[in-house]
Amino acid sequence: MDTLSLSVNAVSHAEPTPQTEPWDPFNSPIPNVEPWNFTVLAVLMFVVTSLSLCENFLVMYVTFRFKKLRQPLNYIIVNLALADFLVSLTGGLISFLTNARGYFFLGRWACVLEGFAVTFFGIVALWSLAVLSFERFFVICRPLGNIRLQAKHAALGLLFVWTFSFIWTFPPVLGWNRYTISKIGTTCEPDWYSTTNKDHSYIITFFSTCFILPLGVIFFCYGKLLRKLRKVSHGRLATARKPERQVTRMVIVMIVAFMVGWTPYAVFSILVTIHPSIHLDPRLASIPAFFSKTAAVYNPIIYVFMNKQFRKCLITLFTGAMLDNLNQTSERPGITAESQTGEMSAIAARIPVGTSSQKSDDSPTECGSFAQLPIPENKVCPI
């Protein structure tokens, strides 16, 4: 034990120096952080988790209730809702409970499970956004000619998302990096602060495959999609170009939302990986992770609830009214071609493939796809 020498009347006395116990995040809150900070985080996580669980459950339930919504292009949307729901059910709920207590009272194994679950489901949601952008690019730009998106293609996309995400989020459980407590002491995450080359190699690989690559897919696909729509709308009347303008605005919102949700966490993680000795206030270090969890709230709003067809199904679910536009549109006079098809299929139908036979093969037949991009309100089947 260290001693402190004191001189009293020219006589030296040795007294033990006080030593503080090392902080154990599984037994007590982090020192020097006032309890009200954890209360604020608990309230925020309660609000975010509640909204996310309700919104994403509605997406899955309404899709289950309305058969016309169960189209191949919508599979990835439901998958996104499922992933966001599981993120909130695991990470959001646990984060609320641990912040309410002020520390991760569930123990070390629960920390590993929570860190893996949140990372895994979060990457599933992130890659779902990338696959969704690719499917929209596939439907609008038709890079393979008259080959259309079918259920088997959508199922392969789902298989890729879950398999690829598992491959790159499970290694920390086996020892390539690890899931550990965060600086604030109430959530768990990969060990960004490790100084070993082995852990650095995982972090670099993880961000290359689970952030840079899906972000590149999103920019490429939406960039190609916007260029295609710009060519199609060139020279047309302003009213005819309105659907393409709405698509452009929607794509911009999607990209901005992606960047807002994931860029702060990615930048923070890369920063502490490069400079693991950097000193950051634990409260400041918790903000990027909180931002990434809010994506589970605005994803269904952007990708689902802003679509009129889904909103009509949702209203019908709560009011019990008949949804004529999904069942009897062909019997109504004065309905446009867009109203008898899905919104994205209607836009794609106006884009020539190259030959008349291909145009005939690509004539729109799918109806009621709420994952599709928006068209003007008067172009959607009225109730």
Side-chain angles (χ1 to χ4, degrees):
M1 179 179 294
D2 295 336
T3 58
L4 177 65
S5 297
L6 297 177
S7 177
V8 180
N9 295 328
V11 179
S12 296
H13 299 274
E15 294 186 0
T17 58
Q19 290 187 348
T20 59
E21 292 290 333
W23 171 55
D24 185 355
F26 301 105
N27 290 320
S28 62
I30 184 174
N32 304 323
V33 175
E34 296 296 331
W36 66 266
N37 291 277
F38 297 107
T39 302
V40 171
L41 286 176
V43 171
L44 290 175
M45 288 310 306
F46 177 81
V47 173
V48 170
T49 302
S50 300
L51 289 174
S52 173
L53 291 176
C54 293
E55 291 174 1
N56 290 288
F57 177 78
L58 276 178
V59 173
M60 295 182 288
Y61 183 70
V62 172
T63 306
F64 172 78
R65 285 291 304 272
F66 293 91
K67 184 177 180 180
K68 291 296 183 179
L69 295 179
R70 299 197 290 270
Q71 299 292 330
L73 192 58
N74 296 336
Y75 292 0
I76 197 68
I77 285 287
V78 178
N79 188 73
L80 174 63
L82 175 62
D84 284 339
F85 183 86
L86 292 174
V87 166
S88 299
L89 189 63
T90 55
L93 183 59
I94 290 177
S95 182
F96 162 69
L97 295 175
T98 54
N99 279 291
R101 291 284 295 271
Y103 65 99
F104 204 94
F105 64 94
L106 300 174
R108 298 181 185 275
W109 275 107
C111 176
V112 174
L113 292 176
E114 191 259 355
F116 165 72
V118 172
T119 305
F120 175 51
F121 296 134
I123 298 303
V124 168
L126 193 154
W127 263 106
S128 295
L129 299 178
V131 172
L132 176 61
S133 69
F134 176 79
E135 290 182 350
R136 287 173 166 174
F137 160 76
F138 185 86
V139 171
I140 291 291
C141 299
R142 288 181 278 193
L144 300 181
N146 61 349
I147 298 179
R148 301 180 56 186
L149 182 68
Q150 299 178 5
K152 61 181 180 181
H153 302 136
L156 286 175
L158 299 182
L159 179 63
F160 164 79
V161 166
W162 287 89
T163 303
F164 193 83
S165 300
F166 182 82
I167 289 174
W168 296 115
T169 55
F170 193 71
V173 179
L174 302 178
W176 190 18
N177 202 280
R178 61 172 181 157
Y179 290 110
T180 186
I181 203 75
S182 63
K183 285 293 184 181
I184 196 67
T186 54
T187 58
C188 296
E189 60 188 7
D191 188 1
W192 313 120
Y193 296 88
S194 176
T195 58
T196 66
N197 292 331
K198 182 182 71 172
D199 291 342
H200 280 181
S201 65
Y202 170 77
I203 294 171
I204 293 173
T205 304
F206 177 79
F207 277 104
S208 299
T209 56
C210 297
F211 180 74
I212 297 176
L213 185 56
L215 183 62
V217 171
I218 289 174
F219 272 102
F220 173 81
C221 293
Y222 282 140
K224 289 286 187 179
L225 188 151
L226 292 179
R227 288 181 59 187
K228 187 73 172 182
L229 293 178
R230 193 178 300 115
K231 290 181 181 179
V232 172
S233 62
H234 181 69
R236 301 172 61 188
L237 296 176
T239 55
R241 292 197 302 265
K242 187 177 180 181
E244 284 74 20
R245 292 200 302 269
Q246 290 188 337
V247 170
T248 301
R249 288 196 295 268
M250 179 64 76
V251 168
I252 292 174
V253 170
M254 293 171 182
I255 294 177
V256 170
F258 179 93
M259 300 298 292
V260 169
W262 291 101
T263 301
Y265 190 59
V267 171
F268 163 79
S269 303
I270 293 174
L271 175 64
V272 298
T273 300
I274 297 175
H275 300 286
S277 60
I278 188 173
H279 176 72
L280 294 173
D281 188 285
R283 293 165 293 186
L284 178 63
S286 67
I287 294 177
F290 174 78
F291 259 51
S292 65
K293 289 185 175 66
T294 61
V297 175
Y298 57 73
N299 275 341
I301 296 176
I302 295 173
Y303 291 92
V304 178
F305 291 105
M306 292 180 68
N307 182 280
K308 186 175 181 180
Q309 290 178 332
F310 178 84
R311 291 201 306 271
K312 287 184 177 182
C313 293
L314 188 62
I315 292 172
T316 300
L317 181 67
F318 287 105
T319 62
M322 294 299 295
L323 194 62
D324 293 336
N325 68 302
L326 289 180
N327 298 321
Q328 300 176 355
T329 54
S330 59
E331 300 177 3
R332 288 175 170 248
I335 302 299
T336 62
E338 288 92 342
S339 67
Q340 299 184 38
T341 67
E343 294 160 316
M344 180 174 287
S345 300
I347 296 176
R350 298 196 294 266
I351 301 177
V353 178
T355 65
S356 59
S357 63
Q358 288 174 320
K359 292 180 182 178
S360 175
D361 291 339
D362 273 335
S363 60
T365 58
E366 295 179 314
C367 180
S369 179
F370 70 80
Q372 299 151 356
L373 300 180
I375 63 173
E377 295 292 317
N378 60 351
K379 297 293 185 179
V380 183
C381 312
I383 294 182

